[in-house]
mmCIF file of all heavy atoms in Angstrom:
data_model
loop_
_atom_site.group_PDB
_atom_site.id
_atom_site.type_symbol
_atom_site.label_atom_id
_atom_site.label_comp_id
_atom_site.label_asym_id
_atom_site.label_seq_id
_atom_site.Cartn_x
_atom_site.Cartn_y
_atom_site.Cartn_z
ATOM 1 N N GLY B 523 6.848 -18.451 2.474
ATOM 2 C CA GLY B 523 8.247 -18.677 2.137
ATOM 3 C C GLY B 523 9.201 -17.762 2.876
ATOM 4 O O GLY B 523 8.781 -16.796 3.523
ATOM 5 N N GLU B 524 10.475 -18.072 2.775
ATOM 6 C CA GLU B 524 11.464 -17.200 3.425
ATOM 7 C C GLU B 524 11.504 -15.838 2.728
ATOM 8 O O GLU B 524 11.821 -14.830 3.351
ATOM 9 C CB GLU B 524 12.844 -17.871 3.459
ATOM 10 C CG GLU B 524 13.779 -17.607 2.291
ATOM 11 C CD GLU B 524 13.260 -18.171 0.967
ATOM 12 O OE1 GLU B 524 12.413 -19.080 0.982
ATOM 13 O OE2 GLU B 524 13.708 -17.677 -0.091
ATOM 14 N N GLY B 525 11.159 -15.812 1.458
ATOM 15 C CA GLY B 525 11.094 -14.526 0.766
ATOM 16 C C GLY B 525 10.038 -13.630 1.390
ATOM 17 O O GLY B 525 10.249 -12.422 1.579
ATOM 18 N N GLU B 551 8.527 -21.726 5.224
ATOM 19 C CA GLU B 551 9.136 -22.755 4.368
ATOM 20 C C GLU B 551 10.363 -22.134 3.732
ATOM 21 O O GLU B 551 10.264 -21.464 2.698
ATOM 22 C CB GLU B 551 8.131 -23.179 3.299
ATOM 23 C CG GLU B 551 6.797 -23.622 3.892
ATOM 24 C CD GLU B 551 5.820 -24.100 2.840
ATOM 25 O OE1 GLU B 551 5.396 -23.295 1.991
ATOM 26 O OE2 GLU B 551 5.481 -25.300 2.866
ATOM 27 N N ASN B 552 11.487 -22.331 4.374
ATOM 28 C CA ASN B 552 12.710 -21.730 3.851
ATOM 29 C C ASN B 552 13.335 -22.666 2.822
ATOM 30 O O ASN B 552 14.091 -23.575 3.165
ATOM 31 C CB ASN B 552 13.682 -21.460 4.992
ATOM 32 C CG ASN B 552 15.012 -20.946 4.482
ATOM 33 O OD1 ASN B 552 15.126 -20.550 3.321
ATOM 34 N ND2 ASN B 552 16.017 -20.948 5.339
ATOM 35 N N ASN B 553 13.027 -22.421 1.560
ATOM 36 C CA ASN B 553 13.598 -23.248 0.494
ATOM 37 C C ASN B 553 14.793 -22.566 -0.159
ATOM 38 O O ASN B 553 15.190 -22.895 -1.265
ATOM 39 C CB ASN B 553 12.519 -23.637 -0.530
ATOM 40 C CG ASN B 553 11.941 -22.419 -1.219
ATOM 41 O OD1 ASN B 553 12.438 -21.305 -1.044
ATOM 42 N ND2 ASN B 553 10.897 -22.632 -2.000
ATOM 43 N N LEU B 554 15.317 -21.576 0.536
ATOM 44 C CA LEU B 554 16.556 -20.884 0.168
ATOM 45 C C LEU B 554 16.446 -19.924 -1.006
ATOM 46 O O LEU B 554 17.364 -19.150 -1.260
ATOM 47 C CB LEU B 554 17.702 -21.873 -0.087
ATOM 48 C CG LEU B 554 18.089 -22.746 1.105
ATOM 49 C CD1 LEU B 554 19.259 -23.651 0.720
ATOM 50 C CD2 LEU B 554 18.469 -21.889 2.318
ATOM 51 N N TYR B 555 15.347 -19.970 -1.713
ATOM 52 C CA TYR B 555 15.186 -19.063 -2.849
ATOM 53 C C TYR B 555 13.807 -18.422 -2.860
ATOM 54 O O TYR B 555 12.814 -19.077 -2.533
ATOM 55 C CB TYR B 555 15.389 -19.800 -4.186
ATOM 56 C CG TYR B 555 16.821 -20.217 -4.388
ATOM 57 C CD1 TYR B 555 17.268 -21.455 -3.939
ATOM 58 C CD2 TYR B 555 17.731 -19.352 -4.996
ATOM 59 C CE1 TYR B 555 18.589 -21.828 -4.098
ATOM 60 C CE2 TYR B 555 19.056 -19.718 -5.154
ATOM 61 C CZ TYR B 555 19.486 -20.953 -4.701
ATOM 62 O OH TYR B 555 20.804 -21.313 -4.847
ATOM 63 N N ALA B 556 13.791 -17.183 -3.267
ATOM 64 C CA ALA B 556 12.542 -16.491 -3.583
ATOM 65 C C ALA B 556 12.666 -16.190 -5.073
ATOM 66 O O ALA B 556 13.469 -15.342 -5.465
ATOM 67 C CB ALA B 556 12.411 -15.200 -2.784
ATOM 68 N N MET B 557 11.951 -16.931 -5.881
ATOM 69 C CA MET B 557 12.217 -16.950 -7.311
ATOM 70 C C MET B 557 13.717 -17.211 -7.492
ATOM 71 O O MET B 557 14.206 -18.259 -7.075
ATOM 72 C CB MET B 557 11.751 -15.665 -8.012
ATOM 73 C CG MET B 557 10.232 -15.632 -8.181
ATOM 74 S SD MET B 557 9.567 -14.275 -9.207
ATOM 75 C CE MET B 557 10.254 -14.606 -10.818
ATOM 76 N N ARG B 618 13.549 -26.507 -2.968
ATOM 77 C CA ARG B 618 12.669 -26.890 -4.081
ATOM 78 C C ARG B 618 13.512 -27.478 -5.196
ATOM 79 O O ARG B 618 14.501 -26.880 -5.616
ATOM 80 C CB ARG B 618 11.803 -25.703 -4.501
ATOM 81 C CG ARG B 618 12.190 -24.913 -5.685
ATOM 82 C CD ARG B 618 11.165 -23.848 -6.061
ATOM 83 N NE ARG B 618 11.739 -22.500 -6.058
ATOM 84 C CZ ARG B 618 12.682 -22.082 -6.889
ATOM 85 N NH1 ARG B 618 13.175 -22.886 -7.802
ATOM 86 N NH2 ARG B 618 13.153 -20.851 -6.807
HETATM 87 MG MG1 MG E 1128 11.459 -19.476 -0.923
#
Side-chain angles (χ1 to χ4, degrees):
Chain B
E524 91 295 339
E551 306 182 295
N552 175 14
N553 62 8
L554 299 181
Y555 291 90
M557 284 188 64
R618 100 174 122 65

